Amino acid sequence: MSPTLVETSLPPVDTGRLTHLLTEFAGYSETTHGVTRLAYTPLERGAHRMFTDELSALGLHTWTDAAGNSYAEIAGGGPARAIGTGSHLDTVPNAGRFDGIAGVVAAMEVARILVESDARHTHPIRFVAFAGEEGARFGQACTGSRIAAGLLDSPDLADLRDTRGVSVADAMRSVGLDPDRVSEARWSTDDWAAFVELHIEQGNVLEAQAIPVGIVELISGSTRLRLDLHGRASHTGGTPMHQRADAMTAAAEITLLAEEIATDARHHGTRATVGRLELEPGSITTIPGTARLYVDIRDVDSDRQRMTAVELMNGARSICERRGLTLDIETLGDTSPVVLPVWLRRKIADVCTTTGTRYRVLPSGASHDSQMINKVVPAGMIFVPSRNGLSHVPDEWTSVEDLAVGTDLLARSLLALDRELDSGTTAEATC
Ligand code: HGY
Ligand code: MN
Ligand code: MN
């Protein structure tokens, strides 16, 4: 690694600006208990406008693609493919203020640092805010980055629906986007050389080991299922226990089965969760006739991930049969684990070594946009610690000091990549 990297006199990260941007983004929320800024809503678009306004005020060229992903670019000194960084601006319901947003804010601060230091770089440096990363609304995650990676196209967007039956395509139209043009939003290796995403860890490894930075080696896969249980609604007083087809008790047994499968010795590393349950008719004096469960299965091992899903579906079928219910199962999303390119991970590690930043390599339990982007452009991920490992809740927290360490590393990693990647054909650019 060229020693000049350390001498590169980059201005210090402005922690006040990081805090200001985090606070401003948190204001785009439909709830006061935590942040709620769902995919393809006016609030998400408002946050994207703030992103492009802030960066165009720095003099960067900005644009938004047909998928609703927003970009800003500092031109490079020569004919070269872009090196990018960024993350997502949408949230789950009642979220914290750091998941995704920390990576966007870090990217925005890197943009300021590069502009103000007039840092020399051959490759254009691009800053990205992805749309629709969370699967909370439509079930499948990473809509904007899947489109960028060529993994989702217009027809798919009509099929993905939220719990009110609104499709991604309709939601996109409602915020002024055109789902019929999303193929124009695809990234290509002619245009991109590498991408690095900073994200909160959403786990407690870094905090427990008092290590300021994580470098991600692989991102867990996820299989998401919706189970519809059809039993028999009837009077809770008039119906004897042995004459019931209770959808709730069947759902409870399936939920415990998911936990049992994921915790047996063969599944070390599997996580299975029923995070959402809908009952009908939902009356205290009527036995639930219908239950709808949403299951999220995560694993770093793709075979084990799918085996867990098959075991759970088979188990659910026999539970329903025994209890006299019928069962419909729909797969809402199925994404394999992704190992991120070693050469890119090592470059980030080299920067840590050069700057004396302690780090550890670790897997990601959560999924991320980089998981999709890596299908088309080599991607790397930098983690910053999450307090108590909490995420997807209002108590999610990362200190601005930790975020500043990650932001400084991100800036130096992008410049290191600029120096190391030649302008177009390096063998390393294939992931
Ligand atoms: O659900 C996830 O893993 C991520 O937060 N989208
Ligand atoms: Mn995220
Ligand atoms: Mn998330």
Side-chain angles (χ1 to χ4, degrees):
M1 170 62 54
S2 57
T4 52
L5 190 73
V6 183
E7 283 91 59
T8 302
S9 56
L10 287 181
V13 173
D14 180 344
T15 52
R17 181 163 183 264
L18 293 178
T19 303
H20 169 73
L21 291 171
L22 287 165
T23 306
E24 289 299 301
F25 278 124
Y28 291 89
S29 172
E30 61 181 271
T31 55
T32 49
H33 177 63
V35 178
T36 302
R37 185 166 63 243
L38 299 183
Y40 296 109
T41 58
L43 284 168
E44 184 196 43
R45 301 321 303 164
H48 276 250
R49 262 192 308 281
M50 177 183 146
F51 170 78
T52 49
D53 289 351
E54 281 278 337
L55 291 176
S56 57
L58 280 176
L60 277 66
H61 166 54
T62 64
W63 69 98
T64 296
D65 69 18
N69 302 315
S70 300
Y71 302 83
E73 180 177 291
I74 303 175
R81 296 171 300 154
I83 295 171
T85 184
S87 192
H88 61 95
L89 280 175
D90 63 311
T91 75
V92 298
N94 305 104
R97 51 174 61 190
F98 296 89
D99 173 2
I101 293 76
V104 174
V105 164
M108 295 167 77
E109 176 58 4
V110 167
R112 182 196 66 80
I113 289 170
L114 297 185
V115 166
E116 289 192 6
S117 62
D118 197 19
R120 282 174 295 108
H121 49 87
T122 310
H123 296 75
I125 307 244
R126 266 184 211 147
F127 307 91
V128 186
F130 289 107
E133 189 274 352
E134 295 291 359
R137 182 177 179 189
F138 295 104
Q140 186 177 74
C142 299
T143 304
S145 49
R146 280 177 198 269
I147 290 170
L151 299 169
L152 261 188
D153 214 331
S154 305
D156 309 306
L157 303 177
D159 296 339
L160 289 167
R161 293 181 180 278
D162 66 14
T163 51
R164 287 177 297 127
V166 177
S167 69
V168 173
D170 290 340
M172 290 175 91
R173 286 188 194 96
S174 73
V175 291
L177 296 167
D178 181 356
D180 298 328
R181 289 182 39 233
V182 294
S183 57
E184 297 167 21
R186 257 184 231 159
W187 291 17
S188 88
T189 44
D190 302 338
D191 187 30
W192 290 88
F195 184 81
V196 181
E197 177 176 9
L198 181 146
H199 202 284
I200 57 171
E201 181 197 340
Q202 299 178 299
N204 63 359
V205 171
L206 295 178
E207 183 187 55
Q209 297 181 6
I211 296 176
V213 158
I215 303 178
V216 179
E217 59 182 343
L218 70 90
I219 302 173
S220 293
S222 65
T223 300
R224 292 188 183 151
L225 307 170
R226 192 183 64 214
L227 278 62
D228 286 316
L229 283 60
H230 308 288
R232 194 173 47 256
S234 65
H235 196 293
T236 51
T239 315
M241 293 309 286
H242 67 282
Q243 290 177 10
R244 295 181 175 205
D246 183 336
M248 177 59 225
T249 48
E253 201 175 342
I254 291 167
T255 303
L256 289 174
L257 175 64
E259 182 184 57
E260 185 191 319
I261 294 170
T263 44
D264 85 20
R266 292 171 300 137
H267 286 82
H268 181 69
T270 306
R271 281 91 68 210
T273 315
V274 175
R276 186 186 183 115
L277 172 66
E278 295 157 1
L279 291 178
E280 284 180 8
S283 156
I284 188 170
T285 55
T286 307
I287 300 166
T290 305
R292 172 168 279 187
L293 292 86
Y294 292 84
V295 188
D296 181 10
I297 296 166
R298 308 283 181 109
D299 209 316
V300 293
D301 176 310
S302 61
D303 291 344
R304 200 170 52 197
Q305 173 188 327
R306 272 78 187 213
M307 186 179 79
T308 302
V310 169
E311 278 185 50
L312 181 62
M313 290 190 279
N314 290 341
R317 287 190 187 96
S318 47
I319 288 167
C320 287
E321 203 174 309
R322 173 166 44 81
R323 287 174 170 268
L325 286 87
T326 58
L327 171 64
D328 297 318
I329 300 176
E330 183 174 347
T331 299
L332 299 177
D334 186 65
T335 304
S336 295
V338 167
V339 177
L340 295 179
V342 174
W343 69 267
L344 182 40
R345 168 156 59 89
R346 283 214 179 111
K347 289 249 178 335
I348 300 169
D350 287 348
V351 175
C352 288
T353 306
T354 310
T355 56
T357 307
R358 289 181 60 234
Y359 71 93
R360 67 154 286 165
V361 174
L362 75 172
S364 171
S367 57
H368 299 287
D369 290 307
S370 291
Q371 191 166 6
M372 305 307 152
I373 292 303
N374 190 60
K375 300 261 192 295
V376 66
V377 173
M381 286 197 77
I382 292 168
F383 270 177
V384 291
S386 293
R387 186 178 61 189
N388 301 327
L390 290 179
S391 182
H392 282 188
V393 291
D395 286 350
E396 178 186 274
W397 182 263
T398 292
S399 75
V400 72
E401 292 74 22
D402 282 343
L403 183 53
V405 170
T407 303
D408 179 77
L409 172 60
L410 180 62
R412 295 176 189 277
S413 298
L414 297 177
L415 291 175
L417 284 169
D418 175 62
R419 285 177 177 71
E420 307 276 321
L421 286 171
D422 64 23
S423 57
T425 54
T426 170
E428 293 177 333
T430 48
C431 48

